[in-house]
Amino acid sequence: MSKLKFGLLLLLFFCIIPDLFGQVTLPRLISDGMVLQRNTGVTIWGWASGNEEIELNFKGEQYQTTADDSGNWSIELDHLSAGGPNSMTIVGENRLTIRDIYVGDVWVASGQSNMELPMERVRPLYEDEIRQVQDERIRYFGVPYNYDFKTPQNDLESGEWVAATPENVLRFSAVAYFFAENLVESQEVPVGIIHSAMGGSPAEAWVSEEALKEFPRHYEEAQRFKDDSLIEEIEHEDQTRISDWYRRSVENDRGLTEDDGTWKDPDLDTSDWSTMELPGYWNETGLGEVNGVVWFRKTVELPGAAAGRPAKMDLGRVVDADSVFVNGQFVGNTTYQYPPRRYEIPEGVLESGENTVVVRVVNERGNGGFFPDKPYRIYTDDWNADLTGDWKYRLGVEMEPLPGQTFIRWKPLGLFNGMIHPLLKYDISGVIWYQGESNTGNPEEYSELFPALIDDWRNHWEEGEFPFLYVQLANFMEPADQPEESNWAALRQAQLETLSQPNTGMAVTIDIGEWNDIHPLNKKDVGQRLARWARGMVYGEEIVQSGPIVDDVKNEGNRLVLTFTHTGSGLVSENGDLKEFAVADDDGEFKWARARIEGDTVVVWNDEIENPVHVRYAWADNPEDANLYNEEGLPASPFEVSL
């Protein structure tokens, strides 16, 4: 080997050897733009070579430590006061600089889809506010999806801290953003949100292995999914089955294959098509309970001003997937039933006069069609064309129902290991939580599982009984005419009873749900109601934290007298007499009751029941007439209490 080649190799070796043996590295959370928790000892941690000396400089203070034999190191910063931005340098064999750091309060936002729902989804309600968002004091870190049944993870695969801007905020959890915004405005401190949530996830997916031992069914399932071959087998079977179903739905769809033109063509003859009124479900038509592909067509008359101009389309919600064409041009599609259908019609598509709208609907199981009480229209700032009413429809292909897939990511333990364990060294102020819809199948278990989750997280974070603020399930589904049993009501009761845990608070949302949407769009009130709890519990502000919460019940003859906490300036009934109260005697058969506010109490009775011992309020999936509030405009929590 020549001296030149040897010299180049030697130079290369000394250039790369620090990368191999002497590089300080940091977890994803310790990065540019982060918010550090004020008024507490803050841990900064990372990895290096064994016994490497580490120096950290922040806000004029210098800290030093030495990595252990395995290369792990941590440094605790002194109590930090709110402010920023600042920079931090960490020096080992290499030098790292972390910029744009704020000190304030850090909250973890977790749960399922209603916590995950981004500002983009609720944009129509808050368009003006979004345009004006510009606050460097609100920082947001989105934890990537990850699950692991075998090993608690020590770091995240990706993620970054971003500030609240009109562009960035569209990715923020809407609940978490409005919570943070309220705290920044009221407390004038920076707020960092670490968002770690996953749509559809049950509570048991967020619980550690140790805590799951108290729930044998979930613990055993977690053990099963430590088997990688089982996961691969399930995923392969699901993928094969679903892919085959969709392949056949395309290959056999007459709307895509007929010789006289596809059914999206504007000039197609539809004289032999049936007629159906939309919105609605086709099981109520001559089609009956059919799964597969159904095509819908409507001719819409548009004004001359529409010709050639871009426009927007609202198509409500569709079960399950849809592809939309206007005058033969594809304008958008959605692959599952939950998101609102909002499509942009590009320039040059619309015409003056008659325009053809075609929707290809794919329905996997259950009733297919279009959700009622949602917007259906084509519009601009100048005009609006209604899309409800009669549509032509025709079956493209009938398919057998497609069984749902196995959501392995929702299995017990996996999300704790993958999305919570990597956060545990990061100092926080508290947690906000919106979850429970996926546990309504077993509300009795949830009454034990949810408090266990809270204890579990507090034990692992090792920060004591930090505030854990959560959202009670909103009203949802069809209202009931008579008192009846309800799993949603029972789960709300489990959430209510969890207030017995120290430093917990519950935002009541029984008045801001949507009967036809499990993801109600009003997330501002949710975030602000959570913030009320934080402002009172954490920041010591004299504020009414909640609507009325039942405290006790006693009997006076055939009447039950209820007392409440969080009555604020007084109890009030909105829109007339109190409603949604029911009583029962020992037989447990509930009947509607009359109710009246007397001071800070509510008196409830039914003249046909001599000895009532049970009383319920707003006990239904969707108690749409619930109208007990305090004068601050906050709704009372649904409840059941007994003598």
Side-chain angles (χ1 to χ4, degrees):
M1 180 181 296
S2 70
K3 290 183 179 181
L4 178 60
K5 288 184 178 179
F6 179 78
L8 289 173
L9 287 173
L10 192 62
L11 177 63
L12 179 62
F13 176 77
F14 282 109
C15 285
I16 68 172
I17 194 169
D19 294 328
L20 298 176
F21 300 108
Q23 287 283 9
V24 174
T25 59
L26 299 171
R28 292 278 184 177
L29 283 169
I30 309 294
S31 56
D32 291 350
M34 67 181 174
V35 177
L36 297 177
Q37 179 61 41
R38 62 174 172 153
N39 301 334
T40 187
V42 170
T43 300
I44 304 295
W45 77 99
W47 305 276
S49 59
N51 305 306
E52 186 173 349
E53 293 183 358
I54 309 295
E55 179 181 291
L56 185 152
N57 295 277
F58 185 58
K59 297 185 73 172
E61 298 291 332
Q62 186 179 93
Y63 307 83
Q64 293 179 329
T65 192
T66 301
D68 64 19
D69 292 344
S70 300
N72 300 299
W73 61 268
S74 66
I75 291 174
E76 184 169 307
L77 309 186
D78 296 333
H79 283 49
L80 304 174
S81 57
N86 300 101
S87 293
M88 176 185 294
T89 60
I90 301 173
V91 181
E93 295 295 328
N94 59 321
R95 180 187 183 93
L96 300 175
T97 301
I98 308 169
R99 298 175 174 83
D100 195 28
I101 301 169
Y102 278 81
V103 177
D105 290 331
V106 180
W107 290 83
V108 171
S110 189
Q112 58 181 110
S113 54
N114 271 305
M115 179 60 82
E116 188 178 14
L117 205 75
M119 288 289 286
E120 175 64 46
R121 275 278 286 274
V122 303
R123 187 173 187 168
L125 295 186
Y126 310 110
E127 193 77 57
D128 291 340
E129 293 181 57
I130 289 171
R131 280 195 292 266
Q132 298 173 28
V133 169
Q134 194 69 55
D135 199 331
E136 290 289 322
R137 297 171 299 172
I138 299 176
R139 300 297 174 94
Y140 184 89
F141 188 101
V143 173
Y145 290 159
N146 188 30
Y147 65 85
D148 194 303
F149 302 106
K150 293 188 289 189
T151 306
Q153 297 298 297
N154 292 321
D155 198 9
L156 304 168
E157 295 178 350
S158 61
E160 63 178 343
W161 289 94
V162 295
T165 66
E167 297 76 24
N168 291 338
V169 78
L170 295 176
R171 309 197 312 267
F172 289 16
S173 155
V175 168
Y177 170 73
F178 287 121
F179 173 81
E181 179 192 47
N182 193 285
L183 293 188
V184 167
E185 291 177 353
S186 63
Q187 309 307 312
E188 297 186 343
V189 296
V191 172
I193 296 292
I194 302 174
H195 176 257
S196 183
M198 179 181 286
S201 57
E204 59 266 21
W206 298 99
V207 177
S208 73
E209 188 158 12
E210 310 94 272
L212 279 178
K213 291 178 181 177
E214 299 300 316
F215 303 90
R217 178 170 63 90
H218 296 314
Y219 179 77
E220 291 168 7
E221 189 168 30
Q223 304 314 304
R224 282 187 63 226
F225 281 89
K226 292 180 186 292
D227 183 352
D228 291 339
S229 63
L230 173 65
I231 294 175
E232 291 174 4
E233 178 184 348
I234 292 173
E235 289 179 337
H236 176 72
E237 290 178 354
D238 278 355
Q239 182 178 0
T240 300
R241 173 172 46 81
I242 294 169
S243 296
D244 177 69
W245 193 93
Y246 270 92
R247 177 186 56 78
R248 290 186 289 112
S249 73
V250 170
E251 290 178 351
N252 299 319
D253 181 0
R254 291 183 298 160
L256 299 174
T257 59
E258 281 200 350
D259 293 337
D260 59 351
T262 62
W263 292 356
K264 69 179 177 64
D265 292 345
D267 298 327
L268 186 73
D269 180 8
T270 60
S271 59
D272 59 345
W273 286 39
S274 301
T275 301
M276 172 181 168
E277 185 175 353
L278 298 186
Y281 301 98
W282 64 67
N283 68 311
E284 301 170 353
T285 72
L287 278 180
E289 297 181 357
V290 167
N291 304 116
V293 178
V294 180
W295 290 72
F296 292 85
R297 293 174 60 98
K298 185 177 183 66
T299 300
V300 185
E301 191 79 20
L302 298 183
R309 292 179 55 191
K312 297 180 180 180
M313 174 188 289
D314 286 336
L315 203 64
R317 284 178 53 211
V318 181
V319 186
D320 290 293
D322 58 280
S323 297
V324 183
F325 306 86
V326 177
N327 294 331
Q329 300 295 311
F330 175 74
V331 298
N333 75 301
T334 307
T335 58
Y336 64 111
Q337 66 169 284
Y338 292 111
R341 272 54 173 175
R342 303 177 189 138
Y343 299 123
E344 301 282 341
I345 302 175
E347 185 177 355
V349 173
L350 295 180
E351 301 171 359
S352 175
E354 291 188 348
N355 291 257
T356 303
V357 180
V358 178
V359 185
R360 179 181 185 264
V361 178
V362 181
N363 173 247
E364 297 177 353
R365 68 191 74 86
N367 295 332
F370 299 77
F371 275 78
D373 289 350
K374 292 289 182 181
Y376 293 86
R377 59 178 181 156
I378 299 176
Y379 66 101
T380 66
D381 293 338
D382 304 319
W383 52 267
N384 182 85
D386 185 16
L387 293 179
T388 63
D390 288 344
W391 285 61
K392 295 283 191 175
Y393 75 92
R394 191 175 187 184
L395 180 65
V397 58
E398 180 175 356
M399 302 284 294
E400 75 282 4
L402 175 62
Q405 72 179 98
T406 304
F407 289 97
I408 293 170
R409 60 182 179 268
W410 297 343
K411 296 300 181 182
L413 173 62
L415 299 184
F416 177 88
N417 280 351
M419 297 178 66
I420 296 300
H421 195 271
L423 317 180
L424 295 177
K425 291 184 180 180
Y426 205 88
D427 296 276
I428 63 173
S429 183
V431 169
I432 57 174
W433 173 265
Y434 194 162
Q435 191 276 337
E437 298 92 338
S438 290
N439 288 91
T440 52
N442 194 345
E444 183 177 351
E445 179 189 70
Y446 198 79
S447 66
E448 298 179 0
L449 181 60
F450 184 35
L453 181 150
I454 295 172
D455 288 342
D456 187 36
W457 285 23
R458 287 171 170 171
N459 291 336
H460 278 87
W461 245 286
E462 298 181 345
E463 292 188 29
E465 294 174 339
F466 56 70
F468 199 106
L469 314 178
Y470 56 92
V471 182
Q472 191 184 51
L473 294 187
N475 50 309
F476 176 52
M477 295 182 285
E478 295 274 5
D481 294 331
Q482 297 298 322
E484 63 181 15
E485 297 305 315
S486 161
N487 276 12
W488 277 63
L491 193 126
R492 292 187 195 108
Q493 181 75 9
Q495 293 173 318
L496 174 65
E497 293 171 356
T498 301
L499 287 175
S500 63
Q501 302 296 306
N503 279 346
T504 53
M506 182 181 72
V508 178
T509 61
I510 200 64
D511 59 330
I512 53 178
E514 300 177 23
W515 78 266
N516 59 357
D517 202 329
I518 200 170
H519 304 121
L521 296 184
N522 181 352
K523 292 295 187 277
K524 186 172 185 176
D525 281 336
V526 180
Q528 292 184 340
R529 290 176 187 180
L530 286 169
R532 279 180 170 270
W533 278 99
R535 290 165 64 181
M537 179 183 296
V538 180
Y539 304 107
E541 191 175 334
E542 292 187 8
I543 187 173
V544 178
Q545 297 172 207
S546 171
I549 293 176
V550 70
D551 183 51
D552 195 15
V553 59
K554 62 181 180 179
N555 67 317
E556 294 181 359
N558 72 333
R559 301 189 175 201
L560 296 177
V561 180
L562 302 166
T563 56
F564 296 83
T565 59
H566 301 284
T567 54
S569 302
L571 299 174
V572 296
S573 169
E574 292 201 349
N575 303 318
D577 295 337
L578 288 177
K579 299 176 182 177
E580 296 286 352
F581 282 88
V583 294
D585 56 20
D586 285 330
D587 69 6
E589 183 179 348
F590 282 87
K591 296 181 180 179
W592 291 129
R594 297 177 65 186
R596 181 174 64 235
I597 295 171
E598 294 185 0
D600 282 341
T601 70
V602 173
V603 180
V604 186
W605 75 97
N606 180 314
D607 290 331
E608 298 178 2
I609 299 179
E610 295 183 0
N611 298 301
V613 294
H614 310 288
V615 57
R616 287 174 170 174
Y617 169 69
W619 192 272
D621 298 336
N622 181 10
E624 64 175 356
D625 293 324
N627 63 343
L628 177 62
Y629 286 72
N630 57 26
E631 287 195 3
E632 283 68 23
L634 299 171
S637 168
F639 63 83
E640 177 180 12
V641 291
S642 302
L643 291 174

